[in-house]
Amino acid sequence: MLNVPSQSFPAPSSQQRVASGGRSKVPLKQGRSLMDWIRLTKSGKDLTGLKGRLFEVTEEELEKHNKKDDCWICIRGFVYNVSPYMEYHPGGEDELMRAAGSDGTDLFDQVHRWVNYESMLKECLVGKMAVKPAVPKGMLPKSQVTDTRAREGPISPSYDWFQTDSLITIIIYTKQKDMNLDSVIVDYQDDSFRAETIIKDYSYLIHMELFREIHEDFSVRVVANVGKIEIVLKKKEHTSWKCLGHALENHNSFTPRKDTGDFVSVSSPEGNFKISQFQELEDLFLLAAGTGFTPMVKILNYALTNIPSLRKVKLMFFNKTEDDIIWRSQLENLAFKDKRCDIEFVLSAPTSEWNGKQGHISPALLSEFLKRSLDKSKVLICICGPTPFTEQGIRLLHDLNFSKDEIHSFTA
């Protein structure tokens, strides 16, 4: 189902509308519509002509591909073979040829920067632009140049945003491939919006007091092959925002991650979790995978300290290896001190020395784990982890006859 923007998108004063005001569409040949292009990209046909290989493209190589039947264009550091797309482009072939064999980022931004070109052209991806040395040739030995780049760290990300009547979309350009949802932490509380992206040993932070209120059920999507992150927020009032909001502490910063022993400020992980869900609670079950353990820290502490009716709290913590288990000693110590608390670790890729449970989330693991202290005890199950883990877990919980009111999922 296509999401068709309203008539007020782009907003009347936006750069998108100003930039595109003089641009006219070109009549397309029959069989060259958007849906035809989507069908072609899903057909399995090699649209790059490179048989699935990705290349690091130099400026000299890019300049060679400047003809209609051999047209490469660079957008935000990534090179696409747009020759197959020529006849499908609503703006016509001549418009694409303006950027043939060159960096078309500025031209693209002037005309339609809001278009999801990564998705549209993902099957046309040739590779990434080669990075030029930061110093003139001969100034430093090659090994020293490499060491200098390593010390400088990855290129700083950037972000942009646009809006419709009902949605705000924030786009983070990480300039890194192979990003995933585990690298993104999004939090919204007391009008403070915080999105942290972990890139290698660095942290990129968006931290703002938003212009207007939003609903708490936002969504996050990662375009892994180009490293783009899209965060979609739902407006409470369907009105136009004049700006995204006001910058708060460390907004738009890109800094090395903290070392062991450093002090960090931690925002509340509750999200849309309501403390009222704890009222008269008797059994609390927590299912976490990887960094999905984050919201469970506060839940564990609060439950064991503030719920007099609580009989049992159990955490099943899924990881790949033993080395991936964070807070292991603290969790084991907590279980030792409080008889109501029980911790189980499950590994998907254990060593031969591992004696604990192994595998992925499954009916067998859950049915054994989710045993009430009494037949009709009040139960709450909290689940958090990568999207496939959470979605599969919720399906399994419903299959085990737990109601919607007995399940809370922490989702981005």
Side-chain angles (χ1 to χ4, degrees):
M1 176 177 175
L2 294 176
N3 186 12
V4 182
S6 66
Q7 292 300 315
S8 59
F9 176 80
S13 60
S14 76
Q15 292 181 349
Q16 299 170 17
R17 186 176 292 276
V18 172
S20 61
R23 185 171 61 95
S24 59
K25 291 189 176 182
V26 173
L28 298 175
K29 298 178 183 177
Q30 189 173 0
R32 295 295 184 271
S33 68
L34 173 60
M35 292 308 300
D36 292 317
W37 172 251
I38 292 173
R39 279 191 285 270
L40 177 61
T41 61
K42 291 182 178 180
S43 67
K45 185 176 180 180
D46 179 15
L47 298 182
T48 63
L50 301 175
K51 299 180 179 179
R53 294 169 296 173
L54 293 178
F55 289 89
E56 202 170 50
V57 183
T58 63
E59 285 189 12
E60 293 76 16
E61 180 65 26
L62 177 63
E63 290 172 358
K64 295 176 184 177
H65 302 271
N66 59 5
K67 302 177 179 62
K68 284 187 178 181
D69 59 351
D70 182 21
C71 182
W72 290 9
I73 293 176
C74 173
I75 304 177
R76 302 196 205 289
F78 292 92
V79 179
Y80 300 89
N81 178 4
V82 299
S83 300
Y85 184 60
M86 283 285 179
E87 294 185 348
Y88 296 84
H89 184 233
E93 297 177 3
D94 292 342
E95 191 73 14
L96 281 179
M97 288 302 298
R98 290 174 62 191
S102 66
D103 190 331
T105 304
D106 290 341
L107 181 61
F108 175 83
D109 285 345
Q110 290 170 18
V111 179
H112 42 207
R113 64 186 298 173
W114 65 93
V115 171
N116 188 351
Y117 65 90
E118 293 100 330
S119 176
M120 188 84 72
L121 299 175
K122 65 181 179 181
E123 299 301 328
C124 300
L125 181 66
V126 171
K128 193 173 183 179
M129 285 296 296
V131 179
K132 284 188 172 182
V135 294
K137 245 182 192 178
M139 292 293 290
L140 286 174
K142 187 176 180 182
S143 61
Q144 286 183 257
V145 172
T146 304
D147 291 343
T148 301
R149 285 184 198 157
R151 286 197 298 272
E152 289 175 351
I155 301 171
S156 177
S158 60
Y159 80 97
D160 198 358
W161 72 285
F162 62 86
Q163 63 179 310
T164 65
D165 282 347
S166 59
L167 302 175
I168 294 289
T169 300
I170 300 171
I171 302 177
I172 301 172
Y173 301 102
T174 68
K175 305 178 177 71
Q176 301 289 325
K177 280 192 174 184
D178 302 323
M179 296 296 295
N180 56 63
L181 283 174
D182 287 344
S183 305
V184 188
I185 304 168
V186 181
D187 179 54
Y188 175 68
Q189 189 163 343
D190 299 328
D191 297 329
S192 171
F193 175 81
R194 193 175 185 276
E196 182 179 8
T197 304
I198 306 303
I199 302 173
K200 297 181 180 178
D201 294 325
Y202 285 74
S203 168
Y204 178 66
L205 180 66
I206 294 176
H207 192 199
M208 304 195 78
E209 179 183 343
L210 297 177
F211 185 74
R212 290 279 188 269
E213 288 187 345
I214 62 170
H215 292 286
E216 294 173 339
D217 55 334
F218 40 79
S219 64
V220 180
R221 185 175 78 95
V222 175
V223 184
N225 63 327
V226 292
K228 186 178 80 168
I229 299 166
E230 294 182 355
I231 305 171
V232 180
L233 314 176
K234 297 179 181 178
K235 297 178 180 178
K236 279 195 173 179
E237 298 178 0
H238 291 191
T239 58
S240 178
W241 289 19
K242 295 180 181 178
C243 62
L244 185 57
H246 303 289
L248 298 176
E249 183 181 6
N250 297 324
H251 171 66
N252 203 25
S253 62
F254 189 52
T255 55
R257 296 178 67 187
K258 300 291 184 179
D259 293 325
T260 303
D262 287 348
F263 288 95
V264 297
S265 59
V266 181
S267 62
S268 171
E270 292 172 358
N272 61 350
F273 185 86
K274 304 296 186 230
I275 295 298
S276 59
Q277 294 174 257
F278 281 150
Q279 288 181 2
E280 300 179 358
L281 185 66
E282 295 171 282
D283 294 331
L284 175 62
F285 298 101
L286 308 176
L287 302 171
T291 53
F293 172 68
T294 305
M296 305 307 180
V297 178
K298 190 168 185 179
I299 297 294
L300 268 171
N301 180 62
Y302 184 91
L304 292 171
T305 307
N306 298 288
I307 308 177
S309 59
L310 189 67
R311 290 194 179 93
K312 177 169 59 179
V313 54
K314 296 178 68 176
L315 167 68
M316 181 172 277
F317 193 5
F318 293 81
N319 286 277
K320 188 174 182 180
T321 68
E322 282 190 81
D323 292 338
D324 296 325
I325 303 174
I326 56 177
W327 279 33
R328 180 176 182 177
S329 60
Q330 292 94 326
L331 289 169
E332 290 174 338
N333 189 45
L334 179 63
F336 177 77
K337 288 182 176 180
D338 196 315
K339 293 182 178 180
R340 296 173 299 170
C341 183
D342 184 30
I343 310 294
E344 295 185 15
F345 301 114
V346 183
L347 302 183
S348 60
T351 62
S352 56
E353 289 79 23
W354 175 252
N355 295 319
K357 294 183 176 179
Q358 52 186 285
H360 299 275
I361 191 166
S362 66
L365 282 174
L366 292 185
S367 58
E368 180 185 349
F369 178 72
L370 300 170
K371 291 182 178 178
R372 301 172 187 257
S373 57
L374 296 173
D375 287 343
K376 295 184 179 180
S377 61
K378 183 176 179 182
V379 170
L380 178 64
I381 304 169
C382 297
I383 183 169
C384 186
T387 301
F389 169 85
T390 303
E391 291 178 348
Q392 173 72 355
I394 292 173
R395 284 194 293 269
L396 294 176
L397 291 173
H398 287 313
D399 290 343
L400 292 171
N401 297 318
F402 288 98
S403 69
K404 184 178 179 181
D405 294 335
E406 292 175 325
I407 303 169
H408 180 87
S409 62
F410 291 91
T411 54

